[in-house]
């Protein structure tokens, strides 16, 4: 048989007056996208740990960006050329590429940093585009005359089906980002069906004709039979492999992978015959040949892993294979194919073809050697300097190709000129070679800097001691979430993955663990602690889901300088200035002045608004710094920037539609006690940038608590994420003034820190507050007039203690607690305390008998003396 030529043909117009379509401009634009994605792959590798999910992004920039774009371009090209089909409208191809690339950007952004819905939507578009592409190939095959190359299209269509399955699994993985063995099995199935299906089947189908063309040899007589046998084994095998992994049927998965491997072996028979006929002699041939060898090595290791490991551990065990598959196989087969194909499709005549081919293959021996020496260094457990060398070799070689390909595309974009004078071409090539060499050296240097540290100027801190902390990774959390240590402490973190799925821990200072499977451990030793250090899990989506931690140097307690002194009572037996707990907790100087510019929470309530439906938006802000006691400022987590959050008021039967927006830095949720609704959806945790709609009908009157619903709820509530919903009882009497007091516990320190959490668990608040500030209404008294009827609504936010609300000097004549009146005005009795357990609410009414100052306190004296204290300033009527 004659050698196969993949060539460009000029075809007659398809209709009267229609110009001949040229492939050059279409392929120039399309392949520029591939080269751009390859450049971004190199950039992602160089940027490394500065990215939010560095390993995941590197993999998917290469596979979704460069490889998938290239497959869409070249599988259509080969189908048209081999079947001698009519060239499709290039505008449709460009439309598919545009949608594919936009969706790829959405997936990359959505998983690594943005809302999960963006990633899921992007995955859906990718699946739709690839299925559209497959339908186009089928239509081309049906419209073409019978030929001996039609079997190639079947490989492309099956590959598209594999990506559709892999894309669905990828969307599900992005949507759930949850722990557990099912997640890991899905992860393994997603990786296998994409790499072996979408990439593997496409490459094998293409090599039947491309490989003999590159070698300039005859097509084997066995090609069609090998193609048929290979496809019949590989596709069902891939289906069994994917289904076995998902269904936790290890031997089904192993049998499927064995069948796929057998199909691969059958497909490679004619390729081996071509090598026996003529050995590789060009950069394209050697690069593609090396890629096939790495593919077979990785496939053998893959079979061993699937046979010997439980399905839930396959994904973790495949991690070391990624460099062999991605660099050795995928990247090299793409680079080798472009080496051969780019000059052919860019046109410009025989002279320009030779110039482009020569430019692309400059230094190919050195680049090939560097790439294939560096690949095993990335996969093997070698010392760090050798791993750095591996990165330098692979990325320098890849960067050189990107530079050369970019020069080739730029040359193709300019019109061909007259032949240059003798020697001119050579002189013109010297700057290009110098540029490539400089690019390789700069890339290698940048890799060494990026991989080996480079976290900015070092600040010398003298070591003052050492401490070891046990760190656990599980349930999408790093525990402890905050570690406090004295400045200069040398911390050793003993990290254990107690989860069923893989995690790692990376610190902003550069220290990082490897990816840990279930039960695996790693140790990190930090430099002497000088400033706060952030840490997170780099597995895609995990940082956004809340797997973060912070190490902070402990400093002077966050209280005013005067807080060390205890002060005496200011208001007799009901007043107090310090907590006086005797347990080492710093004393709050409640008599100290508030800071200039401080404003109290507005406790005054207006009447319930009219209308039966109320639409509100509540936005999380967990970066707010507030004065929580006189002279004491600290970060709090808030609804709408205040503690407590905004008050919702209405009447029985009113409907509230709440748009809940997470504008914070971690996951949060919201729970309205006033509504009756299944908590599964509206009370779920949403991630930063996400929003949900919470709709409830207020069927019962009362003073109701709402709070953050994200675990651990005690921390979220203790740090300020609570508020009140006031639903008026029917026929609620009019009063002169209404106020709301929400009691809450005060825990000083960085929210979520180890020290704060210990105090919270042991029930040792640093103080108690009304409306978010200890003793705030001592410094901004509530106003009333003698003889006025005042209603005081109260809610106990806790999280662990209630309140016994008492006004000194003015008994209550009305008491409403938890949906019912315990006392009404006109009854012979009175009340001295509105007693509420945590999360309960109600109101009390009273009439101030004469002008004066009336303390309002929590009659649990420890609470009053530690900040649950305020004043009513009553003037003459």
């Amino acid at each position: 048989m004659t050698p196969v030529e993949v060539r460009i043909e000029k075809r007659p117009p398809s209709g009267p007056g229609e110009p001949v379509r040229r492939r050059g401009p279409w392929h120039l634009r399309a392949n520029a996208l591939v080269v751009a994605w390859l450049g971004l792959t190199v950039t992602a590798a160089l940027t490394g740990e500065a990215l939010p999910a560095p390993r995941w992004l590197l993999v998917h920039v290469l596979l979704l960006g460069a490889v998938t774009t290239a497959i869409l371009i070249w599988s259509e090209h080969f189908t048209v050329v081999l079947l001698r089909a009519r060239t499709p409208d290039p505008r449709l191809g460009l439309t598919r590429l545009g949608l594919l690339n936009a969706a790829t950007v959405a997936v990359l952004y959505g998983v690594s940093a943005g809302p999960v819905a963006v990633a899921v939507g992007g995955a859906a578009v990718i699946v739709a585009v690839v299925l559209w592409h497959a339908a186009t190939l089928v239509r081309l095959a049906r419209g073409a005359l019978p030929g001996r190359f039609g079997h190639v299209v079947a490989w492309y269509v099956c590959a598209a089906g594999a990506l559709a399955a892999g894309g669905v699994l990828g969307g599900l993985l992005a949507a759930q980002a949850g722990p557990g063995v099912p997640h890991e099995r899905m992860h393994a199935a997603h990786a296998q069906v994409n790499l072996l299906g979408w990439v593997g089947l496409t490459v094998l189908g293409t090599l039947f004709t491309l490989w003999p063309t590159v070698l300039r040899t005859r097509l084997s007589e066995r090609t069609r039979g090998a193609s048929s046998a290979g496809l019949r084994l590989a596709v069902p095998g891939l289906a069994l492999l994917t289904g076995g992994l998902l269904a936790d049927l290890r031997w089904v998965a192993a049998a499927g992978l064995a069948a796929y491997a057998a199909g691969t072996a059958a497909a490679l028979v004619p390729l081996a015959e071509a090598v026996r006929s003529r050995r590789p002699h060009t950069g394209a041939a050697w690069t593609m040949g090396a890629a096939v060898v790495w593919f077979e090595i990785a496939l053998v290791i893959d079979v061993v892993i699937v046979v010997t490991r439980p399905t839930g551990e396959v994904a973790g065990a495949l991690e070391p294979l990624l460099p062999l598959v991605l660099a050795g196989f995928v990247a090299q087969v793409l680079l080798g194919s472009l080496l051969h194909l780019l000059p052919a499709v860019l046109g410009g005549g025989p002279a320009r073809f030779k110039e482009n081919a020569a430019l692309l293959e400059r230094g190919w021996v050195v680049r090939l050697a560097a790439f294939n020496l560096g690949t095993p260094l990335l996969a093997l457990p070698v010392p760090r300097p050798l791993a750095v060398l591996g990165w330098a070799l692979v990325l320098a070689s890849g960067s050189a190709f990107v530079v050369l390909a970019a020069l080739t595309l730029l040359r193709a974009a300019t019109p061909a000129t007259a032949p240059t004078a003798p020697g001119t071409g050579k002189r013109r090539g010297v700057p290009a070679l110098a540029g490539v060499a400089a690019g390789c050296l700069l890339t290698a240097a940048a890799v060494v800097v990026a991989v080996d540290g480079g976290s900015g100027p070092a600040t010398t801190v003298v070591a003052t001691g050492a401490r070891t902390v046990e760190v656990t990774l599980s349930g999408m959390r790093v525990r402890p979430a905050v570690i406090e240590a004295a400045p200069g402490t040398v911390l050793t973190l003993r990290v254990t993955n107690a989860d069923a799925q893989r995690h790692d821990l990376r610190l902003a200072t550069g220290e990082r663990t490897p990816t840990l499977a279930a039960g695996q451990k790693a140790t990190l030793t930090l430099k002497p602690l000088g400033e706060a250090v952030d840490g997170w899990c780099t597995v895609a989506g995990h940082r956004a889901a809340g797997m973060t931690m912070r190490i902070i140097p402990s400093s002077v307690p966050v209280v005013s300088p005067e807080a060390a002194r205890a002060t005496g009572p200011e208001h007799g037996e009901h007043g107090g200035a310090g907590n006086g707990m005797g347990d080492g907790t710093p004393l709050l100087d409640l008599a100290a002045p508030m800071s200039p510019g401080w404003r109290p929470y507005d406790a005054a309530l207006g009447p319930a608004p009219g209308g039966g439906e109320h639409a509100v938006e509540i936005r999380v802000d967990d970066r707010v710094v507030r004065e929580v006691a006189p002279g004491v400022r600290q970060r709090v987590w808030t609804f709408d920037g205040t503690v407590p959050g905004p008050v919702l008021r209405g009447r029985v039967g009113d409907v509230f539609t709440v748009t809940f927006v997470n504008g914070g830095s971690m996951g949060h949720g919201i729970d309205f006690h006033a509504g009756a609704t299944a908590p599964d959806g509206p009370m779920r945790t949403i991630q930063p940038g996400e929003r949900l709609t919470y709709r409830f009908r207020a069927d019962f009157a009362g003073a109701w608590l709402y709070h953050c619903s994200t675990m651990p709820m005690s921390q979220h509530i203790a740090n300020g994420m609570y508020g009140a919903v006031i639903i008026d009882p029917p026929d609620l009497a009019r009063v002169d003034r209404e106020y709301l007091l929400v009691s809450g516990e005060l825990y000083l320190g960085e929210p979520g820190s180890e020290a704060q959490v210990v105090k919270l668990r042991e029930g040792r608040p640093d103080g108690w507050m009304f409306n978010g500030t200890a003793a705030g209404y001592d410094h901004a008294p509530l106003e009333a007039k003698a003889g006025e009827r005042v209603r005081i609504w109260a809610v106990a936010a806790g999280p662990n203690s209630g309140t016994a609300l008492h006004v000194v000097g003015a008994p209550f004549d009305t008491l409403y607690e938890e949906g019912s009146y315990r006392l009404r005005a006109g009854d012979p009795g009175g009340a001295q305390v509105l007693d509420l357990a945590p999360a309960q609410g109600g109101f009390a009414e009273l009439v101030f008998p004469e002008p004066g100052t009336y303390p309002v306190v929590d009659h649990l004296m420890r609470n009053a003396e530690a900040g649950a204290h305020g004043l009513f300033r009553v003037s003459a009527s």
Side-chain angles (χ1 to χ4, degrees), residues 517-528:
Q520 288 186 331
K521 302 175 183 289
T523 299
L524 300 179
T525 301
L526 285 68
K527 297 175 182 178

Side-chain angles (χ1 to χ4, degrees), residues 186-487:
M186 189 181 299
H187 188 181
H190 167 74
Q192 297 272 18
V193 75
N194 280 336
L195 288 171
L196 301 183
W198 175 235
V199 181
L201 295 179
T202 300
V203 169
L204 290 172
T206 301
L207 288 178
F208 286 122
T209 53
L210 183 60
W211 183 242
T213 301
V214 172
L215 294 181
R216 297 292 179 182
T217 188
R218 294 180 180 276
L219 193 70
S220 171
E221 297 286 351
R222 300 187 184 184
T223 297
R224 182 175 295 183
S227 174
S228 177
L231 194 63
R232 289 177 180 178
L233 285 170
V235 172
L238 187 63
L240 284 175
L241 170 62
T242 306
L245 290 172
L246 291 174
D248 196 18
L249 300 173
R250 183 172 64 176
W251 292 110
V252 172
L257 185 54
Y260 178 90
T264 300
L268 291 178
V269 168
L271 277 65
E273 289 186 355
V275 173
R276 285 197 295 269
S277 174
R278 185 176 187 185
R279 293 185 179 181
H281 58 284
T282 63
W286 277 104
T287 304
M288 293 169 64
V292 172
V293 171
W294 282 120
F295 180 58
E296 290 302 300
I297 293 173
L299 193 55
V300 170
I301 300 173
D302 192 6
V303 170
V304 173
I305 290 172
V306 173
V307 169
T308 59
R309 297 294 184 93
T311 55
E313 298 179 8
V314 168
L318 289 174
E319 284 288 326
L321 271 183
L322 277 179
L324 302 185
V325 176
L326 296 179
F329 168 53
V330 176
Q332 284 204 112
V333 81
L334 179 59
L335 298 183
S337 300
L338 291 175
L339 277 174
H340 177 77
L341 294 169
L342 271 182
V345 299
L346 294 180
R352 179 59 64 89
F353 171 86
K354 291 180 180 179
E355 287 180 359
N356 288 339
L359 178 59
L360 281 174
E361 293 216 347
R362 280 178 182 168
W364 70 265
V365 175
V366 175
R367 288 190 278 130
L368 180 70
F371 208 100
N372 288 279
L373 285 174
T375 295
L377 294 180
L378 298 181
L380 297 173
V382 297
R384 182 173 178 78
L386 289 179
V388 172
L389 176 62
W391 277 109
L393 291 172
V394 169
L395 292 181
S397 178
S399 299
F401 175 82
V402 170
V403 171
L404 292 171
L407 291 174
T408 304
L409 292 170
L410 288 173
R411 174 183 288 177
T414 59
T417 57
T420 57
T424 304
K426 184 176 180 180
R427 289 196 302 270
R428 193 170 52 190
V430 171
L433 277 177
V436 171
C440 292
L441 292 175
L442 288 174
T443 299
V447 170
V448 173
V449 172
V451 176
D452 207 26
S455 56
T459 302
T460 302
V461 179
V462 178
T464 59
R467 177 182 167 196
T468 299
V469 179
E470 299 289 340
V471 177
T472 303
L473 311 176
S474 66
M476 304 307 291
R477 292 291 182 269
V478 181
R479 298 182 174 88
V482 176
I483 298 172
E484 289 185 273

Side-chain angles (χ1 to χ4, degrees), residues 524-766:
L524 300 179
T525 301
L526 285 68
K527 297 175 182 178
L529 187 61
E531 57 186 8
V533 178
D534 290 317
W536 59 90
C537 177
T538 67
V539 176
H542 289 194
R543 186 179 187 181
M547 287 201 74
T548 61
M549 69 172 304
R550 199 162 205 236
I551 302 169
I552 58 175
S554 53
S555 56
V556 179
V558 285
V559 295
S560 61
E562 300 84 5
R565 70 177 189 270
T567 58
E570 179 182 349
H571 298 292
E573 64 171 348
H574 298 284
N579 56 10
M581 294 182 193
D583 59 0
T585 302
L587 297 176
L588 298 173
D589 185 2
L590 303 177
M594 303 298 292
S595 300
W598 171 78
R599 291 174 178 269
Y601 183 92
D602 187 1
L605 282 181
E613 295 198 8
H614 312 284
V616 295
E617 179 178 288
I618 295 180
R619 180 178 293 270
V620 169
D621 187 346
D622 55 20
R623 304 176 184 88
V624 175
V625 175
R626 286 183 51 84
E627 191 160 1
V628 295
V632 180
R633 294 174 61 82
Q634 75 170 39
R635 187 163 69 95
V636 290
W637 301 344
T638 71
F639 294 122
D640 276 9
T642 64
V643 180
V647 179
L648 278 62
R649 190 167 191 182
R651 298 178 176 84
V652 174
D654 284 3
V655 174
F656 292 83
T657 301
V658 180
T659 301
F660 178 57
V661 182
N662 188 351
S665 59
M666 68 189 82
H668 292 292
I670 195 165
D671 173 11
F672 289 94
H673 289 192
T677 183
D680 307 56
M683 299 182 198
R684 70 183 184 274
T685 296
I686 62 173
Q687 301 309 317
E690 295 182 346
R691 61 176 59 210
L692 62 75
T693 300
Y694 192 130
R695 184 178 174 87
F696 68 91
R697 177 187 176 91
D699 291 322
F700 303 101
W704 303 88
L705 177 68
Y706 71 87
H707 59 85
C708 183
S709 59
T710 296
M711 295 296 291
M713 279 188 243
S714 58
Q715 290 186 34
H716 288 251
I717 296 172
N719 285 300
M721 301 195 76
Y722 55 81
V725 178
I726 306 299
I727 305 300
D728 292 355
D731 302 322
L732 182 65
R734 181 186 175 280
V735 294
D736 297 298
R737 298 177 190 264
E738 288 185 275
Y739 291 103
L740 169 67
L741 296 178
V742 181
S743 66
E745 299 162 11
L746 170 61
Y747 294 90
L748 298 177
E750 179 68 16
S753 67
E754 182 179 13
Q756 190 197 55
V757 170
V758 168
K759 289 187 289 186
L760 178 59
R761 288 176 178 171
E762 295 178 355
R764 293 189 292 107
D766 295 301

Side-chain angles (χ1 to χ4, degrees), residues 61-80:
V61 167
L62 173 63
L63 292 179
L64 273 183
V67 174
T68 300
T69 300
I71 288 176
L72 254 66
I73 296 168
W74 291 106
S75 58
E76 180 180 312
H77 170 76
F78 288 134
T79 299
V80 170

